[in-house]
């Protein structure tokens, strides 16, 4: 009995144990199923995420235009073409491969057998991303997409198209830094300054991974289409830019200078039609690498004397007839000597002569004698003219000016007299030019501007209609008249008189600055400059030329003035064009025939224009006249015509190009 009871308990225990084991196994199976299901969903999601991505589609960058609406910078769409052979059915491939290869031979000028063999190889491999063509332009892409097989699109024809934007600059040689960039290097020039308008808004599209490094578009449509950038219409005049470039390059090469810059500014509206920067490379060539005109601040030297004289005139400390003792060209002050570089033995000078002959002694004596007890009164003029502050131009990288102030740690007993001839201060070329432009503009100081308008799909977004005034007037009208006459005298009677020509009058001031004079044992180096405006009366343009560290010559008259002179002479015919046009319009007789009547007979023959003989006629007279008659003129030189094409007697057509060579 006891044994039966014991066996019954044993059997019951075993049944419970077996049930528990089965229940445990069942629970374990259920847990594993749930885990596998959840893990596989996560794994599946991970795989999808790694195989599919959302890629950014770069927006087409807007164009940059010159002042005449010719293109300076543009984004060109290029096309890379790939083939997904797995998407092409065997039937479609077999039926059309021959005609496709024939078409490709015609388009790419390669034997069709090359395409035929390669395509069969890639079809067998099942290549889903075979590169067929790279950097195609639109006309070639348009032809290619209509070829057999490819005309079925991406899904059936395996035709994968990838667009990309390539930036092209048309002023690469004569204005690379002016156009600038907006990339890994940062922001510079027009591209950097107006990037927020130019760049547009990027789009998005889904792409599928083909291999570890290769992705292809998942659909032919974009998830979000990109929005093109806006177009910038700049103030750059390609003609003036070219003139400034060649004038500067020629002088840099002759003087073997380290670098230099030229800026031309429209006197009345502040537009910058030309800005050139050139720097010597290791290959002894000159390239547009850094924007010295905007960021490089230096002691301006004698170009600052104009500002010093104007301050004294405004305060009625001097008049043009007063006499200044020149101290024999050497002035001792506080144990230091001030010397005249251009001392011509004058015992006495008036303020006009002091500026004309750029006398350090004369200017230092005028300012020191009148302001030594109250230098802040002199410095206040410089602050009122905002010479201590950035102009705030659109182009990035403007240098910070420096004007010392009495009481500052760097102020000493000799700071004021040395300031008068351009030391102990710092200004950039553009900041100096802006002040001189105010003198040319009868006192109105305006902000230099680099754009005329910004458009989006021909709709104006931003437009500069009026000059941006910084200071309504820097001085009284009487003071401005005096300083303007002095600047004319610099060219007519003073340091720049070598280049005076009554047919091309301009006004301005030479400057020569010794660089790094505080470094003992360092070879002497200089900045040579000239800043002014032309014509001398009723000026149209102001201009500054700065040449740094020339090895042959270093005075402004030797190095900088020749560049300014070439620029002014080259532009003068264009300035005169409007005046001549008015004369033509008001004169019922043909002014052209009157000027060249002695050179050629029968200019018009049966109402057909015949090319006259214009040899020896000044270019400034004949070029505007020919342009006003509807011809396109291309010329070199600045003097009289020495060569012409077409030759005299040839029939001329409307809009015909006439080539002229003028004397240098």
């Amino acid at each position: 009995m006891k044994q039966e009871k014991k066996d019954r308990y044993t059997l019951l225990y075993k049944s419970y144990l077996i049930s528990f084991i089965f229940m445990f196994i069942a629970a374990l199976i259920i847990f594993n199923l749930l885990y596998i299901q959840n893990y596989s969903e996560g794994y599946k999601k991970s795989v999808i995420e790694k195989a599919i991505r959302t890629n950014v589609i770069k927006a087409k960058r807007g164009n940059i235009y010159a002042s005449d609406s010719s293109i300076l910078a543009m984004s060109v769409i290029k096309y890379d073409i790939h083939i997904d052979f797995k998407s092409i059915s065997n039937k479609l491939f077999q039926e059309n491969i021959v005609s496709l290869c024939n078409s490709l031979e015609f388009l790419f000028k390669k034997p069709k057998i090359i395409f035929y063999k390669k395509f069969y190889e890639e079809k067998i491999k099942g290549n889903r991303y075979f590169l067929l063509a790279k950097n195609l332009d639109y006309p070639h892409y348009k032809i290619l997409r209509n070829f057999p097989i490819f005309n079925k699109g991406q899904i059936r024809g395996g035709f994968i198209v990838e667009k990309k934007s390539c930036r092209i600059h048309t002023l690469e040689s004569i204005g690379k830094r002016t156009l600038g960039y907006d990339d890994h290097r940062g922001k510079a020039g027009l591209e950097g300054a107006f990037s927020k308008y130019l760049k547009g808004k990027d789009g998005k599209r889904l792409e599928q991974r083909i291999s570890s490094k290769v992705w292809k578009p998942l659909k032919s449509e974009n998830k979000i289409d990109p929005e093109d950038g806006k177009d910038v219409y700049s103030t750059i005049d390609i003609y003036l830019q070219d003139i400034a470039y060649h004038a500067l390059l020629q002088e840099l090469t002759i003087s073997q200078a380290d670098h230099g810059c030229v800026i031309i500014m429209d006197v009345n509206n502040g537009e910058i039609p030309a800005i050139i920067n050139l720097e010597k490379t290791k290959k002894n060539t000159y390239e547009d690498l850094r924007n010295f005109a905007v960021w490089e601040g230096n002691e301006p030297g004698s170009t600052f004397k104009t500002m010093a004289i104007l301050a004294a005139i405004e305060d009625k400390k001097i008049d043009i007839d007063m006499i200044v003792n020149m101290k024999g060209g050497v002035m001792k002050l506080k144990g230091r000597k001030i010397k005249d570089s251009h001392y011509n033995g004058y015992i006495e000078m008036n303020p006009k002569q002091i500026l004309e002959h750029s006398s350090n002694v004369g200017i230092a004596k005028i300012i020191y004698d009148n302001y030594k007890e109250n230098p802040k009164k002199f410095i206040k003029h410089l602050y009122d003219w905002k010479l201590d502050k950035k102009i705030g131009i659109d182009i990035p990288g403007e240098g910070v000016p420096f004007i010392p102030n009495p009481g500052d740690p760097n102020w000493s007993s000799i700071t004021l007299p040395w300031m008068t001839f351009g030391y102990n201060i710092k200004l950039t070329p553009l900041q100096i030019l802006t002040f001189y432009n105010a003198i040319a503009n009868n006192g109105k100081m305006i902000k230099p501007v680099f754009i005329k308008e910004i458009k989006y799909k021909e709709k104006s977004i931003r437009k500069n209609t009026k000059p941006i005034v910084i200071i309504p007037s820097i001085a009284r009208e009487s003071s401005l008249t005096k300083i303007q006459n002095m600047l004319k005298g610099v060219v007519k009677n003073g340091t720049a008189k070598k280049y005076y020509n009554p047919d091309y009058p301009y006004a301005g001031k030479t400057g020569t600055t010794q660089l790094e004079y505080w470094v003992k044992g360092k070879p002497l180096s200089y900045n040579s400059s000239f800043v002014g405006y032309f014509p001398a009366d009723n000026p149209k343009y102001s201009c500054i030329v700065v040449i740094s560290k020339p090895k042959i010559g270093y005075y402004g008259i030797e190095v900088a003035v020749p560049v300014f002179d070439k620029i002014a002479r080259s532009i003068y015919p264009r300035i005169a064009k409007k005046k001549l046009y008015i004369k033509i319009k008001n004169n019922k007789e043909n002014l052209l025939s009157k000027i060249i009547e002695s050179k050629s007979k029968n200019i018009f023959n049966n109402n057909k224009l015949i090319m006259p003989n214009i040899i020896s006629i000044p270019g400034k007279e004949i070029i505007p006249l020919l342009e006003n008659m509807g011809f396109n003129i291309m010329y070199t030189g600045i003097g009289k015509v020495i060569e012409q094409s077409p030759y005299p007697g040839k029939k001329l057509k409307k809009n015909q190009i006439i080539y002229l060579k003028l004397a240098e």
Side-chain angles (χ1 to χ4, degrees), residues 609-634:
L609 189 60
I610 305 299
M611 183 67 195
N613 181 1
I614 57 175
I615 300 298
S616 79
I617 294 179
K620 68 176 183 178
E621 296 178 2
I622 195 64
I623 291 172
L625 293 171
L626 291 172
E627 287 179 336
N628 287 327
M629 294 188 70
F631 300 116
N632 297 311
I633 311 302
M634 298 186 68

Side-chain angles (χ1 to χ4, degrees), residues 65 145 202 219 286 306 311 335 359 386 388 417 453 505-506 547 573 587 621 626 648 650 659:
Y65 294 90
R145 71 182 182 184
D202 294 338
K219 297 180 180 180
Y286 287 95
T306 303
S359 170
K386 303 188 185 300
D388 62 320
E453 190 174 10
Y506 49 85
I547 296 182
N587 190 346
E621 296 178 2
L626 291 172
K650 294 287 185 179
Y659 299 90

